[in-house]
Amino acid sequence: MKKIFFIALPLLLLLAIVAMFVCNRMVTRYAEGRCYDDVSTIPYNKVGLLLGTSPWVRSGKNNAYYDYRIAATVALFKAGKIDYVLVSGDNRKNNYNEPEMMKKSLMAQGIPQERIVLDYAGFRTLDSVVRANKVFGQSSFTVISQRFHNERALYLAKHFGLDAIAMNAKDPSAYYGFKTLAREKLARVKLFVDLLIGKQPKFLGDKITIGE
């Protein structure tokens, strides 16, 4: 048994490394030409899908990922590249509400309340992307997050037959984002597992019309 274990373990590790490489490569390649860094060159979409995160990190300091996503969303709106912001985030706990926090930040920077729509059940990226279509009726939209996150969201959109592009919010420093980027490698493997087993959002619900 020991001999089998010592033979199988390296093979399993090799398989895991290959899986991460292949999954990462497929996601990155699909996103080529669909992720934009410059507001002036990104095409127009009626709705921007802002992916949620917390305003603070565990230490209590400001979360740079949050701040940069808000800044990117405001820039898109003020440039006329989106008319509405669909804020999709986590609200599974009474004392934690990503959509409401992001809404307040957007309004503080000049986006009118009536142009902001909240999705309280965006627990995961898959939920946010699918609900943008199934609940909020959007088959074409602009995803707003950091590039690594956008690439995964775009692959999900492709799988579900949606036409999405993405605006890349600024990335924090390499040191600041190291753990996040490391987790992203595993998240991309899980992406393919979820698609393989037909994972669906935790909640759907009644349809909500945006801008009509």
Side-chain angles (χ1 to χ4, degrees), residues 64-65 68 146-148 168-174 181:
Y65 288 103
Y68 292 148
Q146 276 68 31
R147 186 182 186 97
F148 70 87
N168 296 329
K170 183 179 176 182
D171 275 312
S173 66
L181 294 176

Side-chain angles (χ1 to χ4, degrees), residues 38-194:
D38 188 346
V39 172
S40 67
T41 61
I42 191 170
Y44 165 85
N45 265 320
K46 177 182 174 181
V47 173
L49 174 62
L50 173 57
L51 299 179
T53 189
S54 172
W56 311 284
V57 295
R58 289 183 181 179
S59 65
K61 295 180 179 180
N62 285 359
N63 181 358
Y65 288 103
Y66 178 98
D67 293 340
Y68 292 148
R69 289 183 202 181
I70 294 296
T73 305
V74 172
L76 278 175
F77 184 84
K78 290 186 175 180
K81 295 305 178 82
I82 56 173
D83 292 329
Y84 295 88
V85 183
L86 173 58
V87 185
S88 185
D90 193 343
N91 179 220
R92 73 184 78 198
K93 297 179 181 179
N94 291 332
N95 62 346
Y96 184 75
N97 192 325
E98 287 178 355
E100 286 289 351
M101 291 185 286
M102 297 187 108
K103 175 184 175 181
K104 289 178 181 178
S105 295
L106 293 171
M107 290 177 62
Q109 295 197 40
I111 297 184
Q113 181 175 344
E114 62 270 20
R115 295 303 182 100
I116 303 171
V117 180
L118 304 185
D119 175 10
Y120 297 103
F123 304 125
R124 305 189 319 154
T125 307
L126 183 146
D127 297 59
S128 297
V129 169
V130 175
R131 284 175 56 82
N133 174 244
K134 298 294 186 182
V135 176
F136 296 94
Q138 304 304 306
S139 58
S140 177
F141 48 85
T142 299
V143 182
I144 308 164
S145 188
Q146 276 68 31
R147 186 182 186 97
F148 70 87
H149 196 187
N150 283 340
E151 289 178 347
R152 179 156 47 92
L154 290 178
Y155 197 90
L156 282 164
K158 164 186 172 290
H159 176 83
F160 289 103
L162 307 177
D163 182 20
I165 56 175
M167 180 67 203
N168 296 329
K170 183 179 176 182
D171 275 312
S173 66
Y175 176 79
Y176 184 98
F178 176 77
K179 289 183 178 179
T180 300
L181 294 176
R183 286 197 301 268
E184 177 65 17
K185 302 297 183 184
L186 297 176
R188 293 188 177 191
V189 176
K190 190 174 187 305
L191 161 77
F192 284 92
V193 173
D194 286 344

